[in-house]
Amino acid sequence: MIKACVAKGPLNKPPKIEIRTYSTMTSDLLKLSEWLKENKVQAVAMESTGVYWKPIFNILEADFPVSIANPKYLKKVPGKKTDVSDSEWIATLLRCGLIPKSFIPPMAIRELRDLNRTRRKMVEHMASEKNRLQKVLEDANIKLTSVVSKVDGVSSMNMIQALLTQDEISREDIAAMVHGKLKNKIELLVQALHGRLTDHHRYLLRLHLKQIAFLADQIKELDDVIQKKMKAFKKESDLIKTVPGIGDTTSSAIIAEIGTDMSQFPDEAHLSSWAGICPGNNESAGVKKSGKIRKGDKFLKATLCEAAWSASKKKGSAYSAYYNNIAKRRGKKRALVALAHRMLMDIYRTLKTGEPYVDEGAEAVFERNSSGRQKSAIRFLEKAGYAVTKASA
């Protein structure tokens, strides 16, 4: 059910209020659109409640400028609350220009967003299936994960497939199945694969292997569709990929969340705040209470943190030096979020200016940090009454 309120009249006088009720069926939503046109409505606003605002937005988007407002910013004074009073309150705020718009990307970006978010969920489901596969192996006294680093690797899958048809695998068979560094761990693998595998365990293993294969096919199919959609954003994708730690999959996920038009955000600070990846601001009476990040776009945060972890491993880069400088003082998790924040600001500047990212290098970061520490130490000594002069070389 929808409570729709139309407020008509000049701004310097109390408006004339008319309220109607509509169902959420498409036929009724079209009637709502016609009623708004009859009343010459110039703008529409509504709360973003889960996914229930999307059908209404899709109907009204073509004919009206629609503002989707965060319910957090529409809090009314305490008292009796009804859907009718809420609709009147939203209409009043909209007339006064007091409703901040939420970022709603165009249709092409929204479709890309749906695909990328579905892909992430598929990857998470696959990770869960791999954990269940490992649990079955442990239950059967198969200690494969104590020797190999990836239970879904080629060598691991070869040995698991062999266990489905035979109780024991000979040393020679294991040697023929493994690749790379595992050639040096044949004896450990012989011991690890000696367990108590029953028909029950084999049934569960087959079940999980089929599910993993199915999810892999689904992810590949999604990747193909995403790549076709990304052809329209090739220029922006290439710019984003100049930032260390970002590849094809990450660039498409970032574009799906923030779009390509950076005029939606006044500056990089607003984008970081919208994403919920900048330091929090909670101060009262001069006391800073908390600096933890606020709730934001969880899909964008997860993608950026993954990219930041990859970028922190690139030796000699500015990102690596930035991460290590914070990690040794504040811990790895805070350093990862700080690096993700910096990467998002660089992505914003890259898309805004149309110029690729240029890495200044680790040495420049070290020199800047050293200069900052020197200035801080000098201020501390001067505040204590000392006169500080630099010795001649």
PDB file of all heavy atoms in Angstrom, residues 286-297:
ATOM      1  N   GLY A 286      33.762  18.826  22.604  1.00  0.00           N
ATOM      2  CA  GLY A 286      35.201  18.792  22.363  1.00  0.00           C
ATOM      3  C   GLY A 286      35.830  17.433  22.550  1.00  0.00           C
ATOM      4  O   GLY A 286      37.049  17.292  22.414  1.00  0.00           O
ATOM      5  N   VAL A 287      35.018  16.407  22.866  1.00  0.00           N
ATOM      6  CA  VAL A 287      35.541  15.055  23.081  1.00  0.00           C
ATOM      7  C   VAL A 287      35.201  14.194  21.862  1.00  0.00           C
ATOM      8  O   VAL A 287      34.018  14.041  21.515  1.00  0.00           O
ATOM      9  CB  VAL A 287      34.947  14.418  24.353  1.00  0.00           C
ATOM     10  CG1 VAL A 287      35.475  13.004  24.538  1.00  0.00           C
ATOM     11  CG2 VAL A 287      35.284  15.273  25.569  1.00  0.00           C
ATOM     12  N   LYS A 288      36.196  13.638  21.215  1.00  0.00           N
ATOM     13  CA  LYS A 288      35.975  12.747  20.087  1.00  0.00           C
ATOM     14  C   LYS A 288      35.696  11.349  20.617  1.00  0.00           C
ATOM     15  O   LYS A 288      36.545  10.737  21.258  1.00  0.00           O
ATOM     16  CB  LYS A 288      37.192  12.748  19.169  1.00  0.00           C
ATOM     17  CG  LYS A 288      37.381  14.059  18.434  1.00  0.00           C
ATOM     18  CD  LYS A 288      38.517  13.989  17.432  1.00  0.00           C
ATOM     19  CE  LYS A 288      38.639  15.309  16.679  1.00  0.00           C
ATOM     20  NZ  LYS A 288      39.731  15.276  15.683  1.00  0.00           N
ATOM     21  N   LYS A 289      34.496  10.838  20.340  1.00  0.00           N
ATOM     22  CA  LYS A 289      34.065   9.577  20.932  1.00  0.00           C
ATOM     23  C   LYS A 289      34.444   8.360  20.091  1.00  0.00           C
ATOM     24  O   LYS A 289      34.837   7.335  20.623  1.00  0.00           O
ATOM     25  CB  LYS A 289      32.544   9.600  21.147  1.00  0.00           C
ATOM     26  CG  LYS A 289      32.102  10.664  22.154  1.00  0.00           C
ATOM     27  CD  LYS A 289      30.613  10.579  22.402  1.00  0.00           C
ATOM     28  CE  LYS A 289      30.178  11.596  23.452  1.00  0.00           C
ATOM     29  NZ  LYS A 289      28.735  11.509  23.748  1.00  0.00           N
ATOM     30  N   SER A 290      34.280   8.462  18.792  1.00  0.00           N
ATOM     31  CA  SER A 290      34.554   7.301  17.960  1.00  0.00           C
ATOM     32  C   SER A 290      34.933   7.758  16.559  1.00  0.00           C
ATOM     33  O   SER A 290      34.408   8.747  16.053  1.00  0.00           O
ATOM     34  CB  SER A 290      33.324   6.389  17.894  1.00  0.00           C
ATOM     35  OG  SER A 290      33.533   5.341  16.961  1.00  0.00           O
ATOM     36  N   GLY A 291      35.839   7.015  15.941  1.00  0.00           N
ATOM     37  CA  GLY A 291      36.246   7.322  14.579  1.00  0.00           C
ATOM     38  C   GLY A 291      35.970   6.180  13.632  1.00  0.00           C
ATOM     39  O   GLY A 291      36.492   6.151  12.520  1.00  0.00           O
ATOM     40  N   LYS A 292      35.154   5.210  14.066  1.00  0.00           N
ATOM     41  CA  LYS A 292      34.892   4.050  13.207  1.00  0.00           C
ATOM     42  C   LYS A 292      34.076   4.456  11.990  1.00  0.00           C
ATOM     43  O   LYS A 292      33.315   5.429  12.027  1.00  0.00           O
ATOM     44  CB  LYS A 292      34.171   2.952  13.987  1.00  0.00           C
ATOM     45  CG  LYS A 292      32.753   3.279  14.394  1.00  0.00           C
ATOM     46  CD  LYS A 292      32.121   2.105  15.129  1.00  0.00           C
ATOM     47  CE  LYS A 292      30.670   2.407  15.503  1.00  0.00           C
ATOM     48  NZ  LYS A 292      30.033   1.276  16.185  1.00  0.00           N
ATOM     49  N   ILE A 293      34.235   3.702  10.921  1.00  0.00           N
ATOM     50  CA  ILE A 293      33.536   4.033   9.684  1.00  0.00           C
ATOM     51  C   ILE A 293      32.038   3.811   9.847  1.00  0.00           C
ATOM     52  O   ILE A 293      31.602   2.974  10.629  1.00  0.00           O
ATOM     53  CB  ILE A 293      34.075   3.201   8.498  1.00  0.00           C
ATOM     54  CG1 ILE A 293      33.935   1.704   8.769  1.00  0.00           C
ATOM     55  CG2 ILE A 293      35.509   3.564   8.191  1.00  0.00           C
ATOM     56  CD1 ILE A 293      34.344   0.827   7.605  1.00  0.00           C
ATOM     57  N   ARG A 294      31.259   4.594   9.099  1.00  0.00           N
ATOM     58  CA  ARG A 294      29.800   4.501   9.180  1.00  0.00           C
ATOM     59  C   ARG A 294      29.298   3.439   8.202  1.00  0.00           C
ATOM     60  O   ARG A 294      30.057   2.913   7.385  1.00  0.00           O
ATOM     61  CB  ARG A 294      29.164   5.847   8.842  1.00  0.00           C
ATOM     62  CG  ARG A 294      29.551   6.351   7.463  1.00  0.00           C
ATOM     63  CD  ARG A 294      28.956   7.712   7.178  1.00  0.00           C
ATOM     64  NE  ARG A 294      27.542   7.607   6.919  1.00  0.00           N
ATOM     65  CZ  ARG A 294      27.020   7.329   5.724  1.00  0.00           C
ATOM     66  NH1 ARG A 294      27.810   7.095   4.689  1.00  0.00           N
ATOM     67  NH2 ARG A 294      25.721   7.271   5.563  1.00  0.00           N
ATOM     68  N   LYS A 295      28.009   3.137   8.328  1.00  0.00           N
ATOM     69  CA  LYS A 295      27.399   2.205   7.396  1.00  0.00           C
ATOM     70  C   LYS A 295      27.307   2.872   6.019  1.00  0.00           C
ATOM     71  O   LYS A 295      26.977   4.038   5.893  1.00  0.00           O
ATOM     72  CB  LYS A 295      26.005   1.807   7.866  1.00  0.00           C
ATOM     73  CG  LYS A 295      26.017   0.927   9.100  1.00  0.00           C
ATOM     74  CD  LYS A 295      24.608   0.518   9.492  1.00  0.00           C
ATOM     75  CE  LYS A 295      24.618  -0.377  10.721  1.00  0.00           C
ATOM     76  NZ  LYS A 295      23.243  -0.768  11.128  1.00  0.00           N
ATOM     77  N   GLY A 296      27.583   2.106   4.994  1.00  0.00           N
ATOM     78  CA  GLY A 296      27.526   2.645   3.639  1.00  0.00           C
ATOM     79  C   GLY A 296      27.255   1.534   2.651  1.00  0.00           C
ATOM     80  O   GLY A 296      26.550   0.571   2.955  1.00  0.00           O
ATOM     81  N   ASP A 297      27.849   1.650   1.488  1.00  0.00           N
ATOM     82  CA  ASP A 297      27.688   0.647   0.438  1.00  0.00           C
ATOM     83  C   ASP A 297      28.595  -0.542   0.756  1.00  0.00           C
ATOM     84  O   ASP A 297      29.790  -0.510   0.509  1.00  0.00           O
ATOM     85  CB  ASP A 297      28.054   1.260  -0.910  1.00  0.00           C
ATOM     86  CG  ASP A 297      27.707   0.359  -2.077  1.00  0.00           C
ATOM     87  OD1 ASP A 297      27.704  -0.870  -1.894  1.00  0.00           O
ATOM     88  OD2 ASP A 297      27.447   0.871  -3.179  1.00  0.00           O
TER      89      ASP A 297
END
